[in-house]
Amino acid sequence: MKKYVSVIAVIMLCVFVAMGVAACTPDTVPVDELVVYNWADYIYDYEDDFKEYYKDITGREINVTYVTFDTNETMLTKLVNGDAKVDVVCPSEYAIQKLLESDSLVKLDYFDEAAYTNNMTINDKYTHNSGNVDAHILDKVDATFGNIVTNSGQTVKMSDYFVPYMYGTLGILYNKYEFIANNIYDEQILNKANWGILFNDDGSGNILSEALTGNILMKDSIRDTYAATVFYLKERGLLDGKSTPDGVKYTDLSANQLINQVDDTILDLCREVLTDQKSQLFGYEVDFGKDDLLQGNAFVDLAWSGDALYAVEESWNDDLGEEGDYELAYYVPNGAGNIWFDGWVVPDCCNPDHMNAIKLFINFLNQPRVAAENMLEIGYTSALDPQAVMDDIEARRALAEGYAVYAPELWDDNDNKNPISADDCDYDSWDEFEEYFFAYCDEIDGCNWRYPFLTEQDGNYNRALDTLGVMRDFGDKNHDVVTMWNYARSAGVSALPLLGWTALGVVAIALIVAAAVGVKAIRRKRVVIRSDDK
Amino acid sequence: MNKSKFKFRFTRRAFAYPYMAFLLLFVVVPLVIILINAFLDEGKLTFANFAEFFSNAGGGLTVLGNSLIIGLVTTLICLAIGYPCAYLLAKYHASNRVLVLLFILPMWVNFLIRTLSTKAIFMSLNVELGMGTVLFGMVYNYLPYMILPLHTTLVSIDHSYIEAAEDLGADRLSVLLKAVIPLSVPGIVSGITMTFIPAISTFAISEILSGSKIYLFGDAINMHFAKTTNSLGVGSVMSLVMLVLVIVANVIVNLTNKEEEVNSVL
């Protein structure tokens, strides 16, 4: 009994001390609030850094509530129904378009410093980071979405309402060594097949390689599949001579116009090729695609650049090549391609009292060091200009630590010591790492996987801006697209043979039982006869 | 007197109120919402969703047919394997409860983990994923639901019926065919419903064990609700069709059970 009393006493003491501590803090420094609504696993461990940053600039404490979502659809439903009381959200481009159209966003003006910092409580330590954002992305955004007309009749520009966060391309993740073994790891062969790789088509209607049959994965996501399929249709010439309902030839459309073109002709063609594709597929995937490729269950997968780069880095194998090699590789098809991005927006259901914290949070994320940490954590490409990241000493330190780069020159050896020794490093120098991370161009697709817009030395983009399209929302065509996708998914599968086999099985069992009963009956008759004889 | 009729009295019945409220909130209200959604298209009252589903525009009927066939075959295989199993378990019930435990044990492991491991086994054996593997996964997952009700019924059969049959000159086969099987019909019927209904609405097993190539009714409903917006209407129609199927199955069960009661009383 005494034991219990003392245990209870200790617990109560602890509770009182804790309450005392908790009660004291708010008296000294005022605490602000912020509610962040983001994708799951889509930010680094930012909380302490942000609190420090916030205190540095406002002298106040901040308390962040962090909520996550899994799909744009769940997020949109919650925001539009008003179920979520959140301050700052990170949707994909087409979801931002939807939110803008339904007048659900607050204008930010991040790229107009005076307008943005107006009404903000900040001291002179504040620096506006909008200049760090990659200008190519903003160009692309406004080129694609142009002026959006909202339901209330206003005409708005998307770049006034959002701040880009991450971006990437849609491409093909494949098993390089399987391709080498089957003699198709060749610049000319793959560039001819291009999007056809996903359909096991060499670019002229023949099979690319027998080995790929039954080893191709497609995404169980209609938007991504639609983009890949439409580009494939164009490449194979299946759209030649056909026109949109408006009378424009499909072949005259730019990449951007083509993936945003939805009509009956193109949907019928999509349904056809997607149904035919099934005989080549290993299956459709949502979450397990990377694992299936890493385990060698499948050789080809439709993938986003961030996922693909993660899988490629995971696939390092010491036994391959002369000094080890990555088993997987990524392929960004030439010509028309698809690019995606997401960014931070402020929904109008936000708490107006939190506006200061919202604006500081967005500006905080656009620091090169934070971008570097995020890239390390998430694997996608930050929307910050790569040059801004390369030029920032703290960002370089973060990357050097994350990728185990031996670069003692980045640390001054007084307060900050170089944490990577020459023995443990994966990269011998910062230059070697920079070459890999920022400037690497693949020999097969000639593309920088991480930075598709990065300029080459002669000042040209290594991808022409107009070949990469951004996909808008399907809008009122959404329903037709879903119907097409459902049809393609259900076609070509029939369980009827199964019914036949089962009927056969049932008949067989019935026959056996009947035979057993019959044999018994005959035996019994014999017994009866015998007993009669006696 | 009439007034006191509506007065709240703390009787045993009061304990049922929270449960009634729960049912109302989480069963009746969602059903009504599904019903309303089935008749709504872009905010207008219409039969368009039904027309779309029954015209097979999105392949819905094909998918439903495949699901029904796969569910039926799964149930038959489960019955063919489950009945002898349950019979043996019941026969040796008194002496060995460990056997029963072994059959229930897989149900304690999370069903997704079980299915993913099944896939891993198939992959390591180089078995091509498809209809066969899906069927295997379904039978493997739903077998306990067949065995358990059968086992309960078989164990509860009064042994004196069997002795009586033997006394009257029935051999073993006749005892099985004329005494044990007829007496276990309620177990067979509830086993069939407990297997068939989840088997036609499953989506995770077909998704994992066929690499999503075999597209079942559950997958289609999941697609309409979880993976797209603006298509709640057709999804709701599909859910209603599913609901009708479940109700039909239950009616059949009730009818057979009633007949059985009459028979056993006679």
Side-chain angles (χ1 to χ4, degrees):
Chain A
M1 192 61 202
K2 259 187 179 175
K3 233 184 199 171
Y4 286 118
V5 172
S6 56
V7 168
I8 290 169
V10 168
I11 291 172
M12 285 180 76
L13 198 71
C14 290
V15 170
F16 278 126
V17 169
M19 277 168 70
V21 171
C24 281
T25 343
D27 288 344
T28 49
V29 192
V31 178
D32 291 331
E33 295 282 333
L34 177 68
V35 187
V36 179
Y37 195 32
N38 194 6
W39 296 89
D41 302 320
Y42 212 51
I43 198 164
Y44 81 110
D45 191 7
Y46 70 100
E47 207 169 331
D48 293 339
D49 288 348
F50 178 58
K51 280 181 174 169
E52 197 181 308
Y53 174 84
Y54 193 78
K55 194 164 187 189
D56 212 27
I57 285 173
T58 60
R60 294 159 74 93
E61 295 284 338
I62 179 100
N63 193 5
V64 187
T65 313
Y66 189 77
V67 203
T68 60
F69 56 87
D70 293 322
T71 64
N72 280 304
E73 282 66 34
T74 22
M75 182 270 311
L76 281 172
T77 318
K78 275 196 172 175
L79 281 190
V80 173
N81 292 351
D83 296 341
K85 274 273 169 209
V86 294
D87 296 327
V88 60
V89 194
C90 181
S92 301
E93 75 291 280
Y94 74 99
I96 300 178
Q97 181 200 359
K98 272 194 160 181
L99 287 169
L100 265 178
E101 281 170 352
S102 61
D103 295 291
S104 312
L105 297 181
V106 174
K107 199 173 181 190
L108 274 174
D109 284 322
Y110 188 61
F111 300 97
D112 178 356
E113 187 177 345
Y116 190 77
T117 50
N118 187 24
N119 294 331
M120 271 174 85
T121 341
I122 40 173
N123 58 25
D124 51 7
K125 283 187 192 163
Y126 178 86
T127 36
H128 195 64
N129 294 327
S130 67
N132 292 340
V133 177
D134 195 335
H136 300 134
I137 298 175
L138 290 175
D139 287 350
K140 193 74 212 168
V141 171
D142 283 330
T144 307
F145 291 94
N147 295 321
I148 295 175
V149 180
T150 69
N151 285 347
S152 67
Q154 279 177 294
T155 308
V156 294
K157 240 170 80 185
M158 192 187 266
S159 55
D160 290 344
Y161 285 80
F162 97 119
V163 181
Y165 185 49
M166 296 275 163
Y167 74 109
T169 50
L170 183 66
I172 299 165
L173 179 67
Y174 64 97
N175 190 315
K176 187 159 101 184
Y177 279 81
E178 286 294 336
F179 274 40
I180 293 175
N182 291 293
N183 301 320
I184 49 171
Y185 186 69
D186 176 89
E187 194 182 334
Q188 276 178 350
I189 293 176
L190 289 186
N191 283 343
K192 188 176 167 228
N194 224 20
W195 287 104
I197 299 173
L198 287 170
F199 296 80
N200 201 4
D201 183 334
D202 69 351
S204 51
N206 301 318
I207 262 188
L208 177 63
S209 166
E210 299 276 346
L212 293 187
T213 305
N215 285 312
I216 297 171
L217 271 169
M218 206 62 183
K219 272 214 178 319
D220 187 4
S221 144
I222 176 59
R223 285 177 56 82
D224 312 338
T225 307
Y226 190 76
T229 310
V230 168
F231 291 139
Y232 170 69
L233 288 177
K234 187 185 179 187
E235 269 170 33
R236 282 279 288 107
L238 296 171
L239 293 174
D240 288 356
K242 297 198 167 81
S243 310
T244 66
D246 303 332
V248 184
K249 278 196 176 141
Y250 287 113
T251 39
D252 293 342
L253 298 176
S254 71
N256 224 350
Q257 290 166 321
L258 191 64
I259 44 172
N260 292 308
Q261 178 68 39
V262 187
D263 57 58
D264 291 344
T265 318
I266 212 165
L267 281 176
D268 283 347
L269 284 167
C270 278
R271 189 171 61 200
E272 237 166 76
V273 291
L274 284 173
T275 309
D276 291 346
Q277 185 202 27
K278 289 182 105 171
S279 60
Q280 304 297 327
L281 289 188
F282 175 77
Y284 302 88
E285 57 92 13
V286 195
D287 304 319
F288 304 116
K290 281 182 283 187
D291 297 330
D292 276 332
L293 256 76
L294 286 168
Q295 290 162 12
N297 295 339
F299 305 147
V300 174
D301 184 15
L302 179 63
W304 295 110
S305 52
D307 275 346
L309 281 169
Y310 173 85
V312 170
E313 283 176 2
E314 283 281 291
S315 72
W316 180 265
N317 188 337
D318 283 333
D319 301 332
L320 296 175
E322 281 165 20
E323 302 168 318
D325 194 2
Y326 299 108
E327 192 175 358
L328 304 184
Y330 182 57
Y331 179 81
V332 185
N334 284 300
N338 179 209
I339 191 166
W340 63 271
F341 59 86
D342 47 33
W344 294 96
V345 295
V346 180
D348 58 3
C349 61
C350 75
N351 188 332
D353 299 339
H354 298 174
M355 198 43 90
N356 205 44
I358 293 169
K359 289 185 166 178
L360 279 173
F361 179 73
I362 290 173
N363 198 48
F364 164 80
L365 290 174
N366 283 313
Q367 296 176 99
R369 186 185 69 82
V370 175
E373 295 276 10
N374 277 331
M375 280 198 272
L376 285 170
E377 180 68 31
I378 309 168
Y380 282 98
T381 310
S382 157
L384 290 204
D385 194 328
Q387 199 57 49
V389 178
M390 272 187 273
D391 289 347
D392 187 86
I393 181 74
E394 284 189 359
R396 282 201 291 201
R397 279 179 194 158
L399 286 173
E401 241 178 287
Y403 275 89
V405 183
Y406 179 67
E409 72 276 8
L410 297 181
W411 280 272
D412 53 24
D413 275 334
N414 296 326
D415 299 333
N416 306 306
K417 284 216 160 50
N418 176 17
I420 297 117
S421 71
D423 298 332
D424 296 337
C425 70
D426 286 341
Y427 297 90
D428 295 328
S429 70
W430 173 260
D431 288 342
E432 187 192 328
F433 170 74
E434 193 178 284
E435 179 68 27
Y436 160 76
F437 194 83
F438 293 99
Y440 173 78
C441 255
D442 185 57
E443 54 191 38
I444 293 292
D445 62 9
C447 182
N448 185 320
W449 297 340
R450 195 170 267 110
Y451 286 102
F453 291 143
L454 196 73
T455 49
E456 281 183 342
Q457 282 167 341
D458 55 356
N460 293 323
Y461 298 123
N462 61 356
R463 292 285 301 214
L465 263 177
D466 57 353
T467 62
L468 289 174
V470 182
M471 226 171 161
R472 286 198 302 258
D473 182 55
F474 288 129
D476 48 357
K477 289 284 182 190
N478 195 14
H479 187 76
D480 297 344
V481 180
V482 171
T483 308
M484 181 279 290
W485 179 229
N486 262 310
Y487 191 90
R489 290 291 302 279
S490 64
V493 177
S494 173
L496 278 176
L498 210 60
L499 204 60
W501 285 111
T502 317
L504 264 175
V506 169
V507 169
I509 292 174
L511 278 177
I512 291 169
V513 172
V517 174
V519 168
K520 271 267 159 101
I522 290 164
R523 265 194 195 167
R524 198 181 295 157
K525 261 184 194 164
R526 274 186 197 155
V527 171
V528 171
I529 293 162
R530 254 180 237 153
S531 62
D532 278 357
D533 286 349
K534 274 178 187 174
Chain B
M1 279 309 277
N2 256 348
K3 267 184 189 170
S4 66
K5 211 174 175 183
F6 299 102
K7 229 179 186 178
F8 178 79
R9 287 235 224 92
F10 195 75
T11 53
R12 256 185 295 179
R13 193 186 281 180
F15 289 105
Y17 293 148
Y19 183 63
M20 299 293 272
F22 180 86
L23 280 183
L24 195 71
L25 207 65
F26 295 108
V27 179
V28 179
V29 173
L31 283 179
V32 171
I33 294 176
I34 286 179
L35 196 66
I36 294 172
N37 266 320
F39 289 98
L40 279 185
D41 189 23
E42 289 165 8
K44 273 172 281 182
L45 217 59
T46 150
F47 281 100
N49 298 325
F50 286 88
E52 184 175 330
F53 176 72
F54 287 106
S55 68
N56 204 19
L61 289 179
T62 320
V63 176
L64 180 61
N66 283 343
S67 286
L68 287 176
I69 292 174
I70 291 179
L72 190 74
V73 174
T74 306
T75 314
L76 283 177
I77 297 177
C78 279
L79 186 64
I81 302 173
Y83 199 89
C85 241
Y87 184 74
L88 291 176
L89 282 177
K91 207 168 176 188
Y92 302 112
H93 181 70
S95 58
N96 205 348
R97 276 162 194 273
V98 180
L99 264 178
V100 183
L101 189 75
L102 279 180
F103 273 91
I104 310 170
L105 204 66
M107 287 173 81
W108 293 355
V109 180
N110 179 289
F111 131 89
L112 270 180
I113 294 176
R114 254 185 297 153
T115 311
L116 282 171
S117 343
T118 317
K119 181 190 170 187
I121 292 172
F122 279 132
M123 292 315 304
S124 68
L125 294 174
N126 277 329
V127 178
E128 198 185 326
L129 297 184
M131 194 65 90
T133 48
V134 171
L135 205 60
F136 180 92
M138 302 263 262
V139 171
Y140 173 53
N141 269 302
Y142 294 125
L143 194 56
Y145 295 97
M146 180 62 91
I147 293 180
L148 277 184
L150 280 174
H151 176 252
T152 324
T153 332
L154 285 170
V155 159
S156 63
I157 291 176
D158 194 337
H159 199 68
S160 47
Y161 284 120
I162 292 157
E163 282 167 0
E166 280 169 349
D167 282 352
L168 292 171
D171 55 23
R172 278 176 162 185
L173 191 70
S174 305
V175 170
L176 182 71
L177 290 178
K178 292 186 173 164
V180 178
I181 291 183
L183 283 173
S184 61
V185 165
I188 296 177
V189 172
S190 67
I192 287 176
T193 30
M194 282 182 75
T195 322
F196 184 66
I197 291 171
I200 51 173
S201 60
T202 182
F203 64 93
I205 298 175
S206 55
E207 213 172 279
I208 295 170
L209 286 177
S210 76
S212 297
K213 263 192 292 186
I214 309 261
Y215 192 62
L216 295 185
F217 205 53
D219 294 301
I221 295 180
N222 183 35
M223 163 94 78
H224 281 286
F225 281 103
K227 293 177 184 166
T228 47
T229 50
N230 301 356
S231 56
L232 293 185
V234 180
S236 300
V237 171
M238 292 172 122
S239 309
L240 278 185
V241 170
M242 190 84 223
L243 201 67
V244 169
L245 286 176
V246 172
I247 291 173
V248 168
N250 274 318
V251 167
I252 293 173
V253 171
N254 285 342
L255 284 179
T256 31
N257 270 352
K258 254 182 207 154
E259 277 168 22
E260 206 44 49
E261 264 169 36
V262 175
N263 284 346
S264 59
V265 167
L266 284 173

